[in-house]
């Protein structure tokens, strides 16, 4: 993602997190609205999965599919869709 692309994503919500609305700090995340699925394979030497760089849903790799998100929202959203994430947040509020 280029600097210019990041700026476009940043401006989408006037420099605020698309999910919780906080002011974005340095190191904010460009979040995929619809998750893209990256392929990974087991690296036997290192004993862990590694991303192969191939993407199973390249059609989701567009600027329209990015939302600016603060680090904590991005980590919590993980690979959920927006709808699933909202359900998740609701559960935090309830508990
Ligand atoms: Zn946030």
């Amino acid at each position: 993602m280029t600097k210019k692309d990041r700026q476009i994503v940043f401006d989408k919500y006037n420099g605020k997190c698309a999910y919780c609305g906080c002011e974005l700090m340095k190191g904010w995340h460009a979040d995929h609205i619809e998750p893209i699925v990256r392929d990974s394979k087991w690296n036997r030497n290192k004993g862990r999965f590694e991303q192969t760089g191939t993407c199973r849903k390249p059609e989701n790799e567009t600027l329209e599919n990015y939302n600016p998100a603060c680090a904590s929202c991005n980590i919590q959203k993980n690979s959920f869709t927006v709808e699933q994430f909202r359900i998740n947040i609701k559960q935090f509020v309830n508990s």
Side-chain angles (χ1 to χ4, degrees), residues 17 20 22 70 73:
C17 171
C20 71
C22 73
C70 69
C73 279

Side-chain angles (χ1 to χ4, degrees), residues 6-66:
R6 264 180 82 85
Q7 189 60 48
I8 292 167
V9 176
F10 185 86
D11 289 341
K12 268 192 183 181
Y13 289 85
N14 298 316
K16 294 191 167 64
C17 171
Y19 302 108
C20 71
C22 73
E23 298 283 337
L24 291 172
M25 302 289 188
K26 205 172 174 260
W28 60 275
H29 295 233
D31 176 57
H32 288 95
I33 299 166
E34 292 296 323
I36 57 158
V37 183
R38 289 204 175 91
D39 271 333
S40 55
K41 67 169 195 257
W42 182 250
N43 184 321
R44 201 193 282 172
N45 295 331
K46 292 184 182 169
R48 61 181 159 97
F49 282 100
E50 289 193 326
Q51 292 190 346
T52 60
T54 8
C55 176
R56 270 183 240 173
K57 287 193 173 181
E59 71 273 17
N60 283 344
E61 195 70 61
T62 61
L63 270 186
E64 290 75 44
N65 191 38
Y66 280 108

